[in-house]
Amino acid sequence: RTVVVFRVHLASLLLFSIIVMGKYRLSYFNGRGRAEVTRLVFALTGVEYEDNRVEGKDWPAMKPNTPFGFLPVLDVEGAGQLTESIPVALYVADELGVGGKNAFERGQANMIVTHLNDLFGKAAKHHFAKEEDKAAALKELEACKTSTFGNLEKLLKTNNGGSGFFIGDSATVADLMLFNVGGDKNNMLGDSDFPLLKALAARIAALPKIAAWVAKRPESAF
């Protein structure tokens, strides 16, 4: 009788897993931008979601129906909407098992993702700066790159000498954020002198599910 109950319970869990896989809708413009780290989480975990790419002409009608008037927005079936890129990415990572294995690891992941997001913001500021403000914005960006990557290079080295991942022995959202900002198309690491971070970004790029996503995702300017 116990075996039968266990099998029924297991079947229920499997059914729940299947239901969960189809309950996410991520809305963002047709670019990588501030939604890409969440897409990378979905790619790494193999969980299905709707990648809703909003065209510029459709945004004015959609905007009033978003929580704060900007994207990305994550719709979670049966729960509601979330916005702000980092809370969305961290929520999805936690839900899908790559946000850290305990509260402290989740705190570490949040710390790293937030630190990298500050750098991402400096890059965006430089990109959109007026011509007369470009030089000052670039100086600010370069200083932030040196500081951020220097901090993270030292942090990475504390975990297995830097030969693995930021946290534990498997990839988390923190590693995906490093790949998104420092590697991939953004490539802020470039020819910088942070060998451990560059090697980590390359390891993430080589993960089969990440490589498959990068190969198949739509081409975009940003």
Side-chain angles (χ1 to χ4, degrees):
R1 184 178 302 171
T2 301
V3 173
V4 171
V5 171
F6 174 76
R7 285 176 178 170
V8 170
H9 181 60
L10 180 60
S12 297
L13 287 175
L14 290 173
L15 178 60
F16 176 74
S17 298
I18 292 170
I19 292 171
V20 165
M21 286 178 65
K23 75 175 186 177
Y24 302 106
R25 183 175 192 255
L26 180 64
S27 297
Y28 190 66
F29 302 108
N30 189 20
R32 298 178 309 279
R34 293 189 177 274
E36 192 64 13
V37 67
T38 301
R39 295 186 186 119
L40 290 168
V41 171
F42 282 122
L44 180 64
T45 57
V47 171
E48 294 179 4
Y49 70 107
E50 182 184 349
D51 185 14
N52 180 38
R53 295 186 177 239
V54 180
E55 298 297 334
K57 62 182 177 60
D58 300 321
W59 172 233
M62 180 182 180
K63 185 175 181 178
N65 298 315
T66 62
F68 296 158
F70 50 75
L71 299 176
V73 168
L74 180 74
D75 287 274
V76 183
E77 186 178 342
Q81 292 183 320
L82 292 175
T83 191
E84 296 281 5
S85 59
I86 300 308
V88 166
L90 293 174
Y91 167 78
V92 174
D94 286 345
E95 285 288 288
L96 304 186
V98 292
K101 295 176 181 176
N102 53 53
F104 185 75
E105 287 192 0
R106 289 190 290 274
Q108 286 182 301
N110 192 333
M111 172 183 74
I112 295 164
V113 168
T114 300
H115 200 40
L116 283 163
N117 192 54
D118 290 342
L119 174 57
F120 190 90
K122 300 291 185 187
K125 179 181 177 180
H126 171 256
H127 180 78
F128 291 108
K130 295 179 181 178
E131 195 59 40
E132 61 267 28
D133 299 325
K134 283 280 188 183
L138 179 60
K139 184 176 180 180
E140 190 177 350
L141 171 60
E142 291 300 324
C144 189
K145 280 169 63 174
T146 300
S147 173
T148 300
F149 289 143
N151 291 337
L152 294 178
E153 180 90 354
K154 289 189 290 185
L155 181 64
L156 178 58
K157 193 172 183 178
T158 65
N159 188 32
N160 295 318
S163 62
F165 305 96
F166 277 121
I167 302 163
D169 57 3
S170 59
T172 67
V173 64
D175 306 294
L176 297 177
M177 187 67 169
L178 185 276
F179 168 70
N180 181 46
V181 174
D184 201 13
K185 295 281 189 177
N186 293 312
N187 195 29
M188 286 197 217
L189 281 166
D191 57 359
S192 62
D193 189 26
F194 300 104
L196 296 180
L197 293 181
K198 289 166 77 171
L200 173 56
R203 284 194 294 278
I204 297 301
L207 293 173
K209 289 181 179 178
I210 296 299
W213 165 248
V214 170
K216 76 176 185 180
R217 70 187 174 190
E219 284 293 327
S220 62
F222 63 94

